[in-house]
Amino acid sequence: MSDRVSEQGKFSHILMTVLGAVALVAVFSWSFLFMRDGSAPRPVIALVALLVGVGGIWGLFLVADRLVALLPGRTRDLLRPYVFITPAFLILLVYIIYPTVRTIYISFFDFQRGGSPVNFGFQNYLRAFTDPALQIALRNNALWLIFVPLFAVSLGLIIAVLVDRIRWERFAKSLIFLPMAISFVGASVIWRFIYYRASFGAQIGLLNAIRVALGAEPLGWLRLEPWNNFFLIIIMIWLQTGFAMVILSSAVKGVPSSLLEAARIDGAGEFRIFFQVIIPFVSGTILTVTTTIVILVLKVFDVVYVMTSGRFSTEVVANMMYNQMFIQGAYGRGAALAVIIFIGVTPVMIYNIRRMNQV
Amino acid sequence: MGHTLAIQKRQKTPQEIFRRVMLNLAVACIVIVWTIPTFGLLVSSFRDPVAIDSTGWWMAVFQPFTHGHWTLGNYIEVLTEDAMGNAFLNSLLVTIPATVIPITIAAFAAYALAWMRFAGRRLLFVLVVGLMVVPLQTSLLPLFRLYNDVGLAGTYLGIWLAHTGFGLPLATYLLYGYISQIPRDLIEAAEVDGTTPMTKFIFLVLPISVPAVASFAIFQFLWVWNDLLVALIFLGTSVDVAVVTTRLSELVGSRGQTWYVLTSGAFLTMIMPLIVFFSLQRFFVRGMMAGSVKG
């Protein structure tokens, strides 16, 4: 475009571009100080933040493109793609590549003894695996890892098959899927209310009210080791079943009706059809949903953090990592836990992405 | 209507009718069990504090006039005194740019990856796919220390960029999948009158990519809105910057038995996702599925 403009036009074009770049930098630095200073009324700060955040990124790309357009032909064409990819590359470098390498590095050092960090070899890992607290966390993660996918996927599949045959399918599905929209923190509060035990007066928590109505004593569900783990796991099952159901539902709808008819003519009952026709047909989808939930559960943090903070033997690895890193300042041990999570998640992720590519 | 249709086809045996009833009952039971937790919270949030503590919320449902004691006071108190209103504003301030920025950066990169030639293209692509498998947990500590050194800790810009980093590989991957499928003819047709790659991207590629962008936008919006860990570490819990999730988890810690605060507070954190859920359900499901491989 800029190739054909006249000399005078070119000059004003350069001027405008340079001015634009200067203005962008000025706005960025001014707004950052403005927001950090924080003396302006909050709605004003909010508006500035939104405009700078949303507009700034576009301004950045547009100004960079204009600047490159000023260069002579060949250089310009060579540099243009980098206007598009440099921000992405820099972000990946700073936010994932550098910190991951650094975390792995830190995991081999000990920071607790004051002064400069000491090279610790595999001590952090050895210590992590011999530490009784981590043993409990690993056991709990294993419980989560078995029961959340098992129940969420089984329930999701059963519900998917059931709702396929009713008239109010969409309504039923959206109510079961709805918890997916709720944050883990919100869900935790919802379930705290259900598990609540009042120390005096009426039991307003649903479960204890039912117990009292049946003539039993109210229970402190979240302190009931080791069952409290299952009460936390139920929350995650409640959240994830809808996800499994929606994905499995579309798979179940893909089962050819001729296949079902043939099975019925052969005299197969509904249960046999479910186990011998539907499950084999959707097994690929079952695997995908399972691995997705496995990844989520390997990193489970919020529910435990909000419900028990890992007390009463409900600790999980991700919550322990958070505590070590940000509460106790045991960087080396926290980093080792992060690496353990990394090693647990990565193979499943690789598998998942491969599968996604095939679909 | 359904009945007449069924009768026209053929008469149903009593056995079939029984089955149908049982099926509907079973689904109804499941739906009720799934909805009760949220429903109980919603009902309680509109009851007078004394009423919440003296009778179960189900009493207010069965006898709304004698046991209800309905009020909006809980919401007013939690919004003002417990700073949930402020947190709501903060959540919007964090979430909107933390959704727009990664999508923008990812869309530019995806376009270049799909339709431009440059040195390092393969490397970048391998990087994007490879980094999808890295969980954000391994980034937290070094970034936290870096943020403290450069003064980004506790700033909006800091958390926007953090969410951008953690969402970028998936966003780029998904948008690349979509943008690379645009027919070549369409892209080349735009080349005739000397357009630059930038104008092609803005006026042709972006408008075509709206469905992919919308799906990812919904996923990222909800992810950021519902996130606790990243907000806890990079924004912190001080009242002036805390978002709804960190604020609510603080309330659980400090006012763990004050149910009129917790129920209304929890519901406030859910309003935004629920609006998105009910208004954009189709995109919502698609977005959740697209985002299911987030590391």
Side-chain angles (χ1 to χ4, degrees):
Chain A
M1 215 157 53
S2 54
D3 302 340
R4 277 175 281 142
V5 286
S6 66
E7 273 306 304
Q8 200 189 356
K10 204 165 185 173
F11 178 73
S12 66
H13 179 92
I14 294 174
L15 195 68
M16 291 294 287
T17 308
V18 172
L19 279 179
V22 171
L24 194 70
V25 171
V27 167
F28 267 135
S29 40
W30 168 78
S31 67
F32 190 67
L33 295 175
F34 176 76
M35 282 188 276
R36 266 233 302 226
D37 179 32
S39 54
R42 280 200 56 82
V44 179
I45 296 186
L47 201 67
V48 170
L50 271 188
L51 286 178
V52 171
V54 174
I57 187 67
W58 278 92
L60 204 66
F61 277 108
L62 293 176
V63 166
D65 188 60
R66 295 266 98 182
L67 283 175
V68 169
L70 296 178
L71 300 167
R74 257 188 62 81
T75 331
R76 183 191 62 205
D77 292 343
L78 216 65
L79 281 182
R80 243 181 189 146
Y82 296 98
V83 172
F84 284 67
I85 59 150
T86 306
F89 180 73
L90 286 180
I91 291 268
L92 292 178
L93 194 69
V94 175
Y95 281 86
I96 308 183
I97 300 171
Y98 154 73
T100 300
V101 172
R102 179 98 190 133
T103 296
I104 295 171
Y105 178 77
I106 290 176
S107 75
F108 293 110
F109 285 85
D110 183 23
F111 288 78
Q112 272 184 318
R113 301 184 176 168
S116 57
V118 187
N119 194 330
F120 218 40
F122 282 92
Q123 289 277 350
N124 283 323
Y125 292 92
L126 281 178
R127 215 200 239 176
F129 280 104
T130 49
D131 179 4
L134 188 88
Q135 310 261 298
I136 292 179
L138 285 176
R139 179 204 70 186
N140 293 343
N141 265 83
L143 289 178
W144 282 81
L145 218 47
I146 296 165
F147 288 101
V148 176
L150 181 69
F151 278 92
V153 174
S154 318
L155 283 169
L157 182 61
I158 293 169
I159 297 170
V161 172
L162 290 180
V163 294
D164 196 32
R165 297 148 193 225
I166 59 169
R167 294 220 174 80
W168 44 294
E169 180 183 356
R170 281 188 54 151
F171 179 69
K173 269 160 83 175
S174 39
L175 282 180
I176 292 169
F177 191 67
L178 186 134
M180 271 302 275
I182 298 172
S183 67
F184 292 149
V185 186
S188 299
V189 173
I190 289 178
W191 285 85
R192 266 179 78 96
F193 195 40
I194 287 180
Y195 293 140
Y196 178 61
R197 175 175 63 172
S199 27
F200 55 87
Q203 291 301 330
I204 55 167
L206 186 60
L207 282 186
N208 278 326
I210 292 174
R211 274 188 70 91
V212 170
L214 296 175
E217 284 291 303
L219 276 180
W221 304 91
L222 296 178
R223 293 170 185 235
L224 204 66
E225 299 171 23
W227 305 107
N228 47 6
N229 282 298
F230 292 97
F231 302 135
L232 300 189
I233 286 171
I234 287 173
I235 303 175
M236 193 59 103
I237 295 173
W238 178 71
L239 285 166
Q240 293 299 313
T241 298
F243 170 72
M245 175 204 65
V246 165
I247 294 183
L248 287 167
S249 172
S250 53
V252 165
K253 286 186 195 308
V255 179
S257 51
S258 58
L259 215 59
L260 297 175
E261 284 303 314
R264 286 204 182 98
I265 289 167
D266 287 347
E270 290 300 320
F271 281 98
R272 273 194 70 184
I273 292 180
F274 180 73
F275 284 108
Q276 296 187 353
V277 180
I278 294 179
I279 288 190
F281 195 86
V282 301
S283 59
T285 316
I286 290 178
L287 219 55
T288 312
V289 176
T290 307
T291 48
T292 304
I293 297 178
V294 162
I295 293 167
L296 188 83
V297 167
L298 277 169
K299 299 184 294 178
V300 62
F301 162 75
D302 312 35
V303 173
V304 174
Y305 177 84
V306 178
M307 295 293 278
T308 61
S309 326
R311 285 171 300 156
F312 320 121
S313 305
T314 56
E315 189 65 289
V316 288
V317 178
N319 188 59
M320 215 171 150
M321 180 207 80
Y322 176 81
N323 276 329
Q324 302 269 358
M325 278 182 182
F326 301 104
I327 310 293
Q328 299 175 14
Y331 296 144
R333 300 180 67 185
L337 292 177
V339 174
I340 290 172
I341 294 175
F342 181 29
I343 293 170
V345 168
T346 305
V348 194
M349 278 297 292
I350 291 175
Y351 175 82
N352 231 13
I353 293 169
R354 282 229 176 112
R355 272 206 69 84
M356 201 168 96
N357 277 340
Q358 284 164 10
V359 178
Chain B
M1 188 186 77
H3 279 290
T4 46
L5 254 176
I7 290 165
Q8 272 167 6
K9 264 196 257 165
R10 67 190 166 84
Q11 206 67 42
K12 286 204 167 172
T13 64
Q15 210 184 357
E16 274 176 323
I17 293 172
F18 175 72
R19 253 196 196 165
R20 194 137 284 273
V21 171
M22 289 307 286
L23 179 70
N24 278 282
L25 264 177
V27 177
C29 283
I30 296 170
V31 168
I32 288 170
V33 168
W34 240 255
T35 319
I36 273 183
T38 319
F39 183 68
L41 184 91
L42 178 64
V43 169
S44 300
S45 71
F46 288 107
R47 294 178 74 203
D48 184 81
V50 179
I52 295 181
D53 283 329
S54 49
T55 55
W57 57 266
W58 47 91
M59 295 301 282
V61 177
F62 296 136
Q63 294 168 304
F65 299 107
T66 47
H67 285 295
H69 303 286
W70 307 107
T71 174
L72 283 175
N74 304 341
Y75 282 93
I76 294 165
E77 184 172 334
V78 82
L79 277 170
T80 53
E81 311 240 317
D82 291 296
M84 211 39 146
N86 206 357
F88 200 88
L89 188 67
N90 287 335
S91 269
L92 281 176
L93 282 182
V94 167
T95 310
I96 295 172
T99 305
V100 174
I101 297 173
I103 291 180
T104 308
I105 295 181
F108 275 100
Y111 172 71
L113 281 174
W115 296 102
M116 292 167 110
R117 291 160 163 275
F118 57 93
R121 184 172 155 266
R122 254 204 89 67
L123 174 77
L124 185 67
F125 188 75
V126 169
L127 221 55
V128 166
V129 178
L131 293 181
M132 284 208 311
V133 307
V134 180
L136 64 86
Q137 272 79 358
T138 53
S139 290
L140 297 176
L141 182 58
L143 281 180
F144 176 72
R145 299 175 75 194
L146 181 73
Y147 270 27
N148 279 331
D149 290 344
V150 299
L152 274 176
T155 64
Y156 292 128
L157 181 65
I159 195 165
W160 295 340
L161 291 176
H163 277 302
T164 301
F166 303 145
L168 195 62
L170 179 66
T172 312
Y173 183 74
L174 290 175
L175 291 179
Y176 172 82
Y178 195 91
I179 290 174
S180 63
Q181 296 302 312
I182 298 172
R184 178 167 289 275
D185 299 348
L186 215 58
I187 303 274
E188 278 168 2
E191 248 150 56
V192 194
D193 34 3
T195 49
T196 66
M198 185 59 84
T199 49
K200 237 191 307 179
F201 171 74
I202 293 175
F203 297 108
L204 177 71
V205 173
L206 267 192
I208 295 178
S209 310
V210 164
V213 168
S215 295
F216 182 79
I218 287 179
F219 169 76
Q220 176 79 0
F221 184 89
L222 288 173
W223 203 95
V224 174
W225 185 276
N226 286 338
D227 157 79
L228 174 70
L229 184 59
V230 178
L232 210 52
I233 292 168
F234 295 110
L235 263 187
T237 52
S238 79
V239 177
D240 49 322
V241 287
V243 293
V244 286
T245 47
T246 43
R247 189 75 205 118
L248 183 62
S249 89
E250 285 289 293
L251 287 178
V252 171
S254 61
R255 311 188 68 173
Q257 320 237 319
T258 322
W259 287 109
Y260 73 97
V261 170
L262 291 182
T263 52
S264 52
F267 211 75
L268 281 172
T269 69
M270 292 175 211
I271 285 177
M272 210 60 196
L274 288 180
I275 291 173
V276 175
F277 175 74
F278 282 114
S279 58
L280 300 162
Q281 214 176 99
R282 181 158 300 171
F283 277 117
F284 181 89
V285 173
R286 233 185 273 158
M288 282 326 223
M289 285 163 79
S292 65
V293 289
K294 175 157 178 160

